[in-house]
Amino acid sequence: MEWLQQVDTWLFQLLNLHLVHPAADDLMVFLTKPKLSGHIFVLAALFMVVQRGKNGLVILLLTLLAVGCADWITSGVLKPLVQRTRPCFTLDDYRLLIDQTRSFSFASSHASNAAAVASMIWIFFSRGALVEKVFTGVMALYCFLVAVSRVYVGVHYPSDIIAGIVIGIACSSAIYLCFAWVIKNVIQVNGMKNMT
């Protein structure tokens, strides 16, 4: 396990200390703070509803459920269970670009929530019209950069981000599979019974 922590620390310092630029500093702070870039998720929600109408509202609801699930697993279960200290409070060599209270690090709720959004968008929009494919690509890139920004600004190890992304993808997949099962086995079956 010691070597895993060493790799994690090396990757953290690579992204936080070496692969940096003043212009990227501003961008990463913008991406990492929901008060600054959160309106992008609002625009994504509007796109869903405008593009798909009533079905867009269903997709939005499924996305919110996936985000809630991912956030609960990361912040409500894993952080209190693992109690991993953030790198900005354990390492001597780091750059901290934002104010950070003492809270636990594993897993990243920013990464899990962003991955949940990106995954649900991928499920519903990646095979649509060109505008929907572009929307999917833009949101996937945005959500990936939000996750990476957490390492760049100094508050998460890369493994926190990877775990968060896996949790977000898993939550979206599970919510979608449950939704698809209900549509196929409850709603469609009951509709067919009513027709006979």
Side-chain angles (χ1 to χ4, degrees):
M1 287 302 273
E2 181 70 25
W3 69 272
L4 280 175
Q5 180 60 41
Q6 289 174 352
V7 170
D8 218 12
T9 300
W10 179 81
L11 286 171
F12 169 80
Q13 290 177 333
L14 179 68
L15 291 170
N16 179 255
L17 294 172
H18 303 295
L19 299 178
V20 298
H21 189 275
D25 289 357
D26 293 337
L27 174 63
M28 291 300 174
V29 169
F30 170 79
L31 290 168
T32 210
K33 289 187 172 184
K35 287 182 180 179
L36 296 178
S37 68
H39 65 280
I40 294 172
F41 288 119
V42 174
L43 292 173
L46 286 173
F47 179 88
M48 291 178 192
V49 175
V50 169
Q51 189 69 17
R52 297 284 182 95
K54 290 180 182 178
N55 290 338
L57 288 172
V58 173
I59 296 168
L60 180 57
L61 176 61
L62 294 174
T63 303
L64 292 173
L65 285 171
V67 169
C69 176
D71 194 64
W72 176 75
I73 291 171
T74 53
S75 296
V77 177
L78 287 177
K79 284 182 180 178
L81 184 67
V82 177
Q83 296 188 2
R84 184 182 200 186
T85 306
R86 293 180 185 272
C88 56
F89 299 126
T90 58
L91 301 177
D92 294 327
D93 210 11
Y94 65 89
R95 295 181 329 137
L96 184 61
L97 302 183
I98 61 171
D99 293 331
Q100 179 60 55
T101 58
R102 284 203 174 259
S103 56
F104 297 123
S105 179
F106 186 89
S108 168
S109 55
H110 278 73
S112 68
N113 296 350
V117 171
S119 299
M120 199 62 79
I121 288 171
W122 184 273
I123 289 168
F124 284 100
F125 292 97
S126 65
R127 294 179 303 276
L130 179 60
V131 68
E132 293 184 352
K133 290 178 181 176
V134 171
F135 168 66
T136 301
V138 168
M139 287 307 298
L141 177 62
Y142 169 69
C143 292
F144 173 76
L145 290 174
V146 166
V148 170
S149 75
R150 303 301 288 166
V151 178
Y152 191 97
V153 301
V155 297
H156 278 293
Y157 289 101
S159 62
D160 301 336
I161 302 306
I162 292 167
I165 289 171
V166 169
I167 290 164
I169 292 170
C171 288
S172 281
S173 300
I175 296 289
Y176 172 73
L177 289 173
C178 290
F179 170 74
W181 185 90
V182 168
I183 293 293
K184 182 178 180 181
N185 295 294
V186 177
I187 295 174
Q188 288 181 351
V189 169
N190 286 340
M192 290 179 75
K193 284 180 182 176
N194 292 337
M195 290 174 66
T196 56

